[in-house]
């Protein structure tokens, strides 16, 4: 007997029973739903479907345990072994991607700079693929780690990612469309920020004015208006200013 299993499963069962009652789900609908879930699992899409609807809730649980910048979805394409880069993430010339300068500062909850924090950044190509995952794009492209300087600042040059379509042809896509929704995420750049003694942060920066910002099929933090970075250019280069606040790992939950 596990108290934790009992607690979690009883709460989920209670919640689902309540929803089934509220919406007066019929026996036919119930059987159809079981068949749909079974097909989803057989097609290997159960993790995707669960993530689309529920991952953000887990992220918020983790967020409630510390102050500072709130984390966002990690997504399925993080790879831990990205190289350290010197001011520039490797991109492929053939794409002629629009240049973007990602910069900002990492501070603690007292506003003091956090030096030597590692930002691990990953993003899509200008045609919406992730290296090491799609199309044999070399794994050291579109991914890179940088460290903050003494004053907590960091800067890295890359190219603009584009909106990303989650697998649309399967059961998850069909379900979203049946709900009047869609299978798109807005363009985003992922970050993991780590520094010993601080809560790690996993976030995404979104491009203000971009398609699907605020209408993310995966309910990322842009749907709450967070981490949507104002449009700003310097010499025709889009600037993404992402300032991050790290909470001490020893701080108690708020
Ligand atoms: C992505 O690139 C992503 O970041 C998430 C959260 C889900 C699917 C694809
Ligand atoms: Fe992503």
């Amino acid at each position: 007997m596990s108290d934790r299993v009992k607690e979690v499963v009883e709460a989920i069962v209670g919640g689902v029973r309540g929803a089934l009652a509220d919406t007066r789900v019929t026996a036919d609908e119930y059987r159809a739903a079981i068949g749909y879930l079974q097909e989803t699992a057989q097609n290997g899409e159960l993790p995707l479907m669960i993530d689309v609807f529920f991952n953000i809730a887990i992220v918020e649980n983790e967020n409630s345990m510390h102050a500072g910048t709130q984390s966002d979805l990690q997504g399925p394409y993080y790879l831990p072994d990205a190289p350290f880069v010197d001011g520039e993430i490797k991109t492929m010339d053939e794409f002629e991607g629009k240049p973007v300068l990602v910069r900002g500062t990492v501070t603690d909850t007292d506003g003091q700079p956090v030096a030597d924090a590692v930002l691990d950044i990953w993003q899509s190509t200008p045609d919406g693929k992730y290296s090491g995952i799609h199309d044999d794009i070399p794994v050291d492209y579109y991914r890179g780690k940088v460290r903050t300087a003494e004053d907590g600042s960091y800067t890295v040059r890359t190219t603009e990612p584009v909106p990303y379509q989650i697998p649309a042809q399967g059961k998850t896509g069909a379900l979203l469309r049946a709900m009047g929704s869609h299978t798109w995420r807005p363009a985003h750049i992922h970050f993991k920020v780590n520094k010993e003694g601080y809560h790690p942060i996993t976030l995404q920066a979104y491009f203000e004015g971009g398609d699907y910002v605020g209408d993310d099929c995966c309910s990322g933090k842009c749907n709450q208006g967070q981490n949507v970075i104002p449009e700003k250019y310097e010499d025709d280069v889009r600037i993404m200013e992402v300032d991050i606040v790290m909470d001490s790992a020893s701080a108690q939950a708020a």
Side-chain angles (χ1 to χ4, degrees), residues 153-170:
S153 69
Y154 69 93
T155 308
V156 67
R157 183 180 279 274
T158 180
T159 59
E160 201 169 316
V162 290
Y164 183 85
Q165 180 158 228
I166 64 165
Q169 301 316 316

Side-chain angles (χ1 to χ4, degrees), residues 103-139:
R103 70 183 185 204
T105 56
V106 181
T107 52
D108 66 18
T109 49
D110 297 323
Q112 296 304 306
V114 177
D116 225 25
V118 175
L119 292 97
D120 192 342
I121 297 173
W122 74 106
Q123 62 166 101
S124 81
T125 62
D127 70 341
K129 310 282 170 55
Y130 280 86
S131 70
I133 311 280
H134 303 120
D135 287 5
D136 295 322
I137 301 158
V139 64

Side-chain angles (χ1 to χ4, degrees), residues 17 31 37 115 153 202 208 213 218 242:
R17 281 186 191 169
R31 292 290 158 206
L37 284 174
S153 69
T202 301
E208 180 183 55
V213 171
C218 290
V242 184

